[in-house]
Each structure stands twice: as C-alpha cells, then as structure tokens.
Amino acid sequence: MEKKNLDWQNLGFGYVTTDKRFVANYKDGKWDEGALTEDPNIVMNECAGVLQYAQTCFEGLKAYTTKSGHIVTFRPDLNADRLISSCKRLEMPVFPKEKFIDAVSAVVAANEAWVPPFGSGATLYIRPYIFGINPVIGVKPADEYQFRIFATPVGPYFKGGAKPLTIKVSDFDRAAPKGTGNIKAGANYAMSLHAIVTAHQEGFDENMYLDPATRTKVEETGGANFLFVTKDNKVVTPKSDSILPSITRRSLMVVAKEYLGLEVEEREVYFDEVKDFAECGLCGTAAVISPVGKIVDHGKEICLPSGMDSMGPVTKKLYDTLTGIQMGEIEAPKGWIHVIK
C-alpha cells in the first residue's frame, strides 16, 4: 500500500486524523461486536458519566514497520491486561483481552498507509480508551460504555531526541498512597496538568514526583517511569503501589538482565540516593527512554555524571537494544512482537 505523503522525519507528537478507528458499545450488560468507522467524532448526552465524574481510562501503544517490512505492535497483551486492571478499579466493564488485541490489529491494518516507514524515527501511536457514556447525575458508575481505538502517526515525544532533560522535584503529589496511581485513569493525568505547565513555565522539561506519604522516595513523572543506573552499572527502578506499571520499563529490565547481562533491582528508591547514581532516564511508550541530565530540588542541582550532552552509556545500550527488538533488528523474546502484516 502506498504511504501517505508526510514528512515522516519531522513529525511532532500530536494528533493527526487517520482513516479508520474502532468503536464498540456496552449496553444491557454486554459488549457488542464493534466495528471500524470513518467518523472520528463522538456524540453523547450532556450528562454522560465521563463528563460528570471522569469515568474513563486509556492505554497507549505503538505500531512499527520493521526492517523486514512487517508491521508489528509491541506486547499488546500487556496493554490489554493493564486496561482490564484500570476498568476493574473504576467499576467499568472489562473489554475482553483477545477482542482488544484483534481490535488493535484491525485499526493498524486499516491505517496501513499511516504507519511510518522503517528508519524514519516515527511510529503509529495507538490509543485505546473506555468511558461511561449514558447520563449519570448521581455519583455512581455509568450503565453504558464505549470502547474506542484511534491511531495517529507521531514523531519523538520529547523534541531534540536524546538530549538530556532537566527536571524539577515537584511540590505536588501525583497520586494518593492508596489511590489510582497504578492505573491509567484519565483523572490521574488531569491532576498532573497544572504541575507540568508550571514546570515548563519555569524552564523544566518534566517533574519528579515523590511519594505522597513521606515525600522521601522517588515515584515517577507525569507520564513516565524512572530508571536509574548505579556507578557499578546496576539498573534500578523505583517500586511503589502508586506507580503505573510501565510496559516499557518492565521490558527494559528484561533487556538489561537477559540481553546485556546487567544486575537489575526493583526497590524503593530514596531521593537522598539520587545524587549517587551515574545515569537516570524516563521510560514509557511515548519516549522509550529519555535521559535526564539534571534534577533540581528547590534550587539545589543534582547533575548526573553521564553528562548533559548525551545519553549515558548504559541507558544508550538499553535504548538501542529495546528499539532494535521493536524494529526487528534484534531477535525478540517469545510473545513480545505481535505481527499484523
């Protein structure tokens, strides 16, 4: 299929309307079969549950063109599992795992012309989401829901590529200790918007959120997990019940151990330790890994030894190996790559 005439190398991380999207409806206690549609618009009642009480959750994954020319997605089964966890926490009906994977495949195949070519640095971002759609005025779960998936071609999440970021320790909390920090609820991201806008106004790229209970432990940013590298090359990620279980982060830990032979550790990371790490990165679907060069704690600067000009050596190996797996240049662990075409 002929590709769309886009400047693939210079795409931003933004929404572009593509040809098809998937829609399924939940009513009378069951999901319908769902179907692809060309209409990107949603019509709902002014009192829809999602508009009144933010009953919505979402996922994010990507489709790639591999070196051999195949179109694939990366570990969509884990996105399906995480969406199920989010739905259960928000009292929403679960969308079946196999139907989720089939719907993702259908949307990608229907938008094949929008999947960026291999080597362009761009990808097709896929956004599945569920929301309460019937009128709800009392505080309770909706009775009817809609599940949708759209896709949009995107470039790098952080402009400037691998240039290390400067982040600040936020005065805000991302999530409550026993709240919804471990699911992809839309409300979590709404809560982070003021903090990220404030950080940008102050000249920072992102926030570092500390644990809300003691404010002594590192949690995550508004949209990515932290990954640290010690001076003896151990890969460490923070552990907390209020951190979103990033699929990219979990995959990087396997890459570190099984592909690079590094020691890995998931544990509580105290902020006092951060100054002693050699490298720091933010990892997630959108950016894969973005290196952090400087962390500012109310005027006090922590500069990572890996430098301010480039990605640290271990972080670079992790990035190159994982993206190599995603793009078909390195053999993937069984079940990681879902071939669509």
Side-chain angles (χ1 to χ4, degrees), residues 286-329:
V288 184
I289 308 178
S290 291
V292 175
K294 184 189 294 184
I295 300 165
V296 181
D297 178 20
H298 300 87
K300 182 180 179 181
E301 296 185 352
I302 299 172
C303 295
L304 281 301
S306 56
M308 290 296 295
D309 298 319
S310 62
M311 190 178 283
V314 174
T315 305
K316 183 72 164 58
K317 287 179 182 177
L318 288 168
Y319 176 86
D320 288 345
T321 306
L322 184 60
T323 55
I325 289 170
Q326 292 172 333
M327 295 296 176
E329 297 177 290

Side-chain angles (χ1 to χ4, degrees), residues 165-330:
L165 308 173
T166 298
I167 65 176
K168 63 170 288 190
V169 176
S170 180
D171 291 322
F172 298 99
D173 291 330
R174 178 186 159 272
K178 294 185 179 181
T180 57
N182 62 339
I183 64 168
K184 285 186 77 69
N188 290 349
Y189 295 79
M191 295 285 285
S192 74
L193 294 179
H194 177 65
I196 190 60
V197 168
T198 301
H200 287 166
Q201 289 172 344
E202 295 173 355
F204 298 100
D205 297 298
E206 252 292 3
N207 288 292
M208 170 183 279
Y209 290 106
L210 303 180
D211 74 292
T214 69
R215 300 193 60 80
T216 61
K217 290 173 278 192
V218 176
E219 293 231 313
E220 60 175 294
T221 70
N225 282 186
F226 278 103
L227 181 149
F228 298 101
V229 181
T230 66
K231 291 175 182 176
D232 59 354
N233 292 342
K234 181 189 294 184
V235 179
V236 179
T237 60
K239 183 177 182 178
S240 166
D241 291 337
S242 58
I243 289 177
L244 187 74
S246 164
I247 294 164
T248 303
R249 188 259 302 162
R250 284 181 276 171
S251 301
L252 285 167
M253 296 299 272
V254 174
V255 166
K257 184 177 180 179
E258 303 297 334
Y259 283 73
L260 302 181
L262 301 173
E263 187 177 350
V264 301
E265 193 172 27
E266 182 183 3
R267 61 170 175 80
E268 291 183 336
V269 175
Y270 285 87
F271 181 68
D272 287 347
E273 299 179 68
V274 172
K275 65 183 185 303
D276 299 320
F277 289 121
E279 301 175 38
C280 173
L282 307 183
C283 54
T285 298
V288 184
I289 308 178
S290 291
V292 175
K294 184 189 294 184
I295 300 165
V296 181
D297 178 20
H298 300 87
K300 182 180 179 181
E301 296 185 352
I302 299 172
C303 295
L304 281 301
S306 56
M308 290 296 295
D309 298 319
S310 62
M311 190 178 283
V314 174
T315 305
K316 183 72 164 58
K317 287 179 182 177
L318 288 168
Y319 176 86
D320 288 345
T321 306
L322 184 60
T323 55
I325 289 170
Q326 292 172 333
M327 295 296 176
E329 297 177 290
I330 298 172

Side-chain angles (χ1 to χ4, degrees), residues 23 30 41-42 79 91 111 218 280 318 324:
V23 182
K30 62 181 180 180
N41 299 304
I42 300 169
N79 292 98
E91 291 296 327
N111 293 295
V218 176
C280 173
L318 288 168

Side-chain angles (χ1 to χ4, degrees), residues 50-245:
V50 63
L51 300 178
Q52 304 308 315
Y53 303 118
Q55 200 183 14
T56 179
C57 57
F58 68 98
E59 273 300 319
L61 63 159
K62 291 178 175 179
Y64 313 83
T65 301
T66 66
K67 189 174 184 179
S68 61
H70 290 294
I71 295 175
V72 306
T73 55
F74 182 70
R75 309 191 78 178
D77 55 315
L78 297 189
N79 292 98
D81 289 339
R82 194 166 61 182
L83 188 66
I84 288 170
S85 296
S86 297
C87 286
K88 288 179 178 178
R89 180 65 174 81
L90 296 176
E91 291 296 327
M92 301 168 71
V94 165
F95 194 77
K97 184 173 182 175
E98 290 306 315
K99 287 189 175 183
F100 175 96
I101 296 172
D102 288 345
V104 167
S105 299
V107 169
V108 174
N111 293 295
E112 180 183 352
W114 296 91
V115 180
F118 174 77
S120 65
T123 55
L124 187 73
Y125 189 80
I126 305 158
R127 171 55 59 84
Y129 56 111
I130 300 179
F131 55 95
I133 198 168
N134 69 293
V136 179
I137 195 64
V139 181
K140 63 178 182 179
D143 298 313
E144 299 175 11
Y145 296 83
Q146 192 165 98
F147 170 72
R148 299 178 71 99
I149 303 176
F150 68 81
T152 185
V154 297
Y157 186 73
F158 290 106
K159 293 180 181 179
K163 182 180 178 181
L165 308 173
T166 298
I167 65 176
K168 63 170 288 190
V169 176
S170 180
D171 291 322
F172 298 99
D173 291 330
R174 178 186 159 272
K178 294 185 179 181
T180 57
N182 62 339
I183 64 168
K184 285 186 77 69
N188 290 349
Y189 295 79
M191 295 285 285
S192 74
L193 294 179
H194 177 65
I196 190 60
V197 168
T198 301
H200 287 166
Q201 289 172 344
E202 295 173 355
F204 298 100
D205 297 298
E206 252 292 3
N207 288 292
M208 170 183 279
Y209 290 106
L210 303 180
D211 74 292
T214 69
R215 300 193 60 80
T216 61
K217 290 173 278 192
V218 176
E219 293 231 313
E220 60 175 294
T221 70
N225 282 186
F226 278 103
L227 181 149
F228 298 101
V229 181
T230 66
K231 291 175 182 176
D232 59 354
N233 292 342
K234 181 189 294 184
V235 179
V236 179
T237 60
K239 183 177 182 178
S240 166
D241 291 337
S242 58
I243 289 177
L244 187 74

